[in-house]
């Protein structure tokens, strides 16, 4: 048994180095400069919002969209068989503003069908997406995102955070998970290895969508209108990101652990449809995170080489805190910095529970 602990120590050293390597890769975003657009692109933009039973959120979102400081844009509101006053609210705003167009799904259902219909009727080449429960954080949201388009750049990745709820640990976990995910997909994009984007703040061209048959490759899956589309259509040269704070959107977070847990189960279940290299890279990152904390705990509990183990642990924690803190400042999540040392192992443990739950029971509800 004693001879087994040196082996665990070697494993811990290797895992620590691997995980630090991943964070070095992620630091490409953390230590990069914020993209400055200059807002020089004035080409027309179609803003698409798919909504189902979102009457309250639309009353807040639509006025925000109408006040965007951009010379030429339309708003396409897609009603996905709502049972409340969503359609009537859309119609009320349309009667007052000719730049709003409604797409009311009749036979088709689901967000992918709605987005496809909306894109088909979009007036402009440049498409910008958000959700009904999201709000742009400035009147320059459209201009900042649209300015990143060029003849080469056809996909624009934006950041969408979650609103803060005081004295809520769940809220901190949700915002940290969102921060860590953004650090990854922004860094992968900067390293010309794009694997996803989030539909709460995402832009791409109509030509790209139509040329690649939209969501045809994963139409049988209810989720994936954002991350799977980006994963399958991103190249080394056609993606860029927008990290200026005026381009951010913010969403309403889940308020119960049950709702959030199910939401993450749904999102995680889609990732096995990513390209194989991305599945392996993301899987290896998570495994290195989990094993780092697990092996350290074993070595400390059994009092084995704890000085060396603790030294490696502190080195890795300081490096990760520095990299994550830099990203948190860029993405306006500085309130999370004091909690980073606790949030990461907590999230890693929760993600393991989600992984196990998805193996045992497949999610059935997708709303």
């Amino acid at each position: 048994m004693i001879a087994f602990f040196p082996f665990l120590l070697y494993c811990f050293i290797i895992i620590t180095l691997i995980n630090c390597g991943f964070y070095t890769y992620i630091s490409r975003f953390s230590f990069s400069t914020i993209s400055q657009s200059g807002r020089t692109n004035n080409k027309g933009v179609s803003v698409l919002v798919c909504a189902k039973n979102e009457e309250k959120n639309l009353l807040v979102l639509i006025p925000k969209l109408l006040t965007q400081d951009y010379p030429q844009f339309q708003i396409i509101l897609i009603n996905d068989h709502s049972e409340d006053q969503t359609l009537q609210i859309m119609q009320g705003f349309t009667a007052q503003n000719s730049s709003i167009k409604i797409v009311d799904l009749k036979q088709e259902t689901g967000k992918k069908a709605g987005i496809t219909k909306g894109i088909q009727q979009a007036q402009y080449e440049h498409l910008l997406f958000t959700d009904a429960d999201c709000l742009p954080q400035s009147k320059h949201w459209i201009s900042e995102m649209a300015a990143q388009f060029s003849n080469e750049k056809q996909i624009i990745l934006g950041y969408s955070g979650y609103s803060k709820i005081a004295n809520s640990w769940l809220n901190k976990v949700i915002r940290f998970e969102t921060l860590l995910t953004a650090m990854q997909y922004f860094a992968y994009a900067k390293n010309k290895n794009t694997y996803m984007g989030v539909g709460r703040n995402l832009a791409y061209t109509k030509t790209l969508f139509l040329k690649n048959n939209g969501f045809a490759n994963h139409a049988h899956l209810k989720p994936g209108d954002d991350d799977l589309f980006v994963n399958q259509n991103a190249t080394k040269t056609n993606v860029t990101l927008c990290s200026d704070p005026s381009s951010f959107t913010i969403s309403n977070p889940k308020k119960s652990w049950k709702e959030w847990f199910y939401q993450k189960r749904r999102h995680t279940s889609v990732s096995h449809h990513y390209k194989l290299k991305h599945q392996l890279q993301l899987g290896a990152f998570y495994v290195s995170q989990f094993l780092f904390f697990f092996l350290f705990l074993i070595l400390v509990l059994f009092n084995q080489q704890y000085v060396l183990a603790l030294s490696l642990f502190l080195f890795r924690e300081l490096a990760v805190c520095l990299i994550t803190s830099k990203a948190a400042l860029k993405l306006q999540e500085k309130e999370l910095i004091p909690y980073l040392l606790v949030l990461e192992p907590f999230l890693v443990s929760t993600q393991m529970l989600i992984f196990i739950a998805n193996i045992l029971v497949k999610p059935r509800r997708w709303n």
Side-chain angles (χ1 to χ4, degrees):
M1 182 68 177
I2 296 178
F4 183 65
F5 286 109
F7 173 74
L8 288 183
L9 180 62
Y10 295 142
C11 289
F12 179 66
I13 294 172
I14 293 172
I15 289 297
T16 302
L17 292 175
I18 291 174
N19 191 247
C20 286
F22 274 112
Y23 270 99
T24 301
Y25 189 80
I26 294 173
S27 70
R28 174 76 186 276
F29 166 71
S30 299
F31 293 97
S32 64
T33 57
I34 295 177
S35 55
Q36 300 293 330
S37 68
R39 306 187 188 119
T40 58
N41 190 350
N42 292 323
K43 293 183 179 180
V45 173
S46 294
V47 179
L48 289 87
V49 180
C50 192
K52 182 172 185 176
N53 300 327
E54 296 282 4
E55 56 182 7
K56 294 182 180 179
N57 288 323
L58 288 177
L59 287 171
V60 182
L61 172 63
I62 297 174
K64 276 274 192 178
L65 295 179
L66 290 172
T67 58
Q68 285 290 298
D69 184 13
Y70 195 74
Q72 192 176 16
F73 70 96
Q74 68 169 160
I75 302 170
I76 299 179
L77 303 174
I78 305 156
N79 177 44
D80 181 13
H81 301 272
S82 297
E83 299 173 350
D84 60 3
Q85 297 297 306
T86 291
L87 180 58
Q88 289 76 11
I89 290 171
M90 290 177 175
Q91 292 169 338
F93 279 103
T94 303
Q96 302 171 27
N97 198 300
S98 60
S99 66
I100 300 178
K101 183 178 182 63
I102 297 175
V103 174
D104 186 21
L105 295 184
K106 298 297 184 181
Q107 297 179 341
E108 305 90 342
T109 60
K111 191 174 182 181
K112 288 181 180 177
I115 290 176
T116 300
K117 286 284 187 181
I119 291 175
Q120 290 171 350
Q121 298 190 37
Q123 179 180 352
Y124 301 115
E125 166 71 3
H126 293 165
L127 310 173
L128 179 57
F129 300 86
T130 192
D131 287 346
D133 65 343
C134 287
L135 291 176
Q137 289 302 280
S138 82
K139 64 180 181 180
H140 303 297
W141 171 58
I142 295 178
S143 60
E144 286 292 341
M145 291 292 286
Q148 307 302 323
F149 280 112
S150 66
N151 291 334
E152 186 179 49
K153 304 302 181 184
Q154 296 177 290
I155 300 176
I156 316 301
L157 308 181
Y159 177 68
S160 182
Y162 284 100
S163 56
K164 304 175 182 64
I165 299 176
N167 303 316
S168 170
W169 179 249
L170 171 61
N171 182 253
K172 290 182 177 62
V173 173
I174 291 173
R175 288 164 50 216
F176 174 72
E177 191 269 340
T178 304
L179 168 65
L180 182 59
T181 301
M183 288 170 58
Q184 289 179 278
Y185 72 73
F186 277 152
Y188 274 61
K190 275 192 165 294
N191 286 292
K192 301 185 183 303
N193 187 26
T194 303
Y195 76 92
M196 70 162 285
V198 292
R200 303 189 305 275
N201 195 3
L202 175 67
Y204 51 79
T205 64
K206 186 174 183 177
T207 297
L208 180 71
F209 183 85
L210 297 177
K211 180 180 178 181
N212 293 281
N213 297 317
F215 306 126
N217 292 333
H218 46 89
H220 60 290
L221 302 172
K222 290 187 177 181
D225 56 278
D226 47 7
D227 56 347
L228 284 183
F229 178 82
V230 172
N231 189 264
Q232 293 182 0
N233 293 287
T235 68
K236 291 183 178 181
T237 59
N238 72 349
V239 181
T240 189
L241 57 92
C242 189
S243 58
D244 189 291
S246 59
S247 72
F248 296 170
T249 65
I250 194 163
S251 304
N252 296 320
K254 300 296 184 184
K255 295 181 175 60
S256 75
W257 287 98
K258 182 179 180 180
E259 289 179 333
W260 178 74
F261 192 81
Y262 187 85
Q263 181 188 57
K264 299 318 298 177
R265 285 190 63 198
R266 179 184 54 147
H267 291 168
T268 304
S269 69
V270 178
S271 61
H272 68 274
H273 294 281
Y274 289 177
K275 293 176 182 176
L276 179 59
K277 68 172 182 178
H278 294 136
Q279 293 184 50
L280 294 174
Q281 290 166 347
L282 296 171
F285 173 69
Y286 173 74
V287 169
S288 69
Q289 273 186 305
F290 178 80
L291 289 179
F292 170 78
F293 291 109
F294 179 75
L295 292 175
F296 175 73
L297 184 63
I298 294 297
L299 290 171
V300 170
L301 287 177
F302 287 92
N303 197 26
Q304 296 295 318
Q305 298 290 336
Y306 64 88
V307 174
L308 177 57
L310 182 61
S311 299
L312 287 170
F313 180 86
L314 293 176
F315 170 79
R316 184 266 183 188
E317 289 297 277
L318 287 173
V320 169
C321 280
L322 176 61
I323 293 168
T324 308
S325 296
K326 291 286 290 184
L329 291 172
K330 291 180 67 173
L331 299 178
Q332 298 189 330
E333 298 288 359
K334 64 180 180 180
E335 293 86 355
L336 296 176
I337 294 176
Y339 304 96
L340 293 180
L341 289 175
V342 181
L343 281 168
E344 187 191 15
F346 184 89
L347 180 63
V348 169
S349 302
T350 305
Q351 288 172 326
M352 177 56 70
L353 293 177
I354 292 171
F355 175 74
I356 294 172
N358 273 1
I359 292 177
L360 298 177
V361 182
K362 298 298 181 183
R364 294 181 180 179
R365 179 170 56 86
W366 297 94
N367 293 331

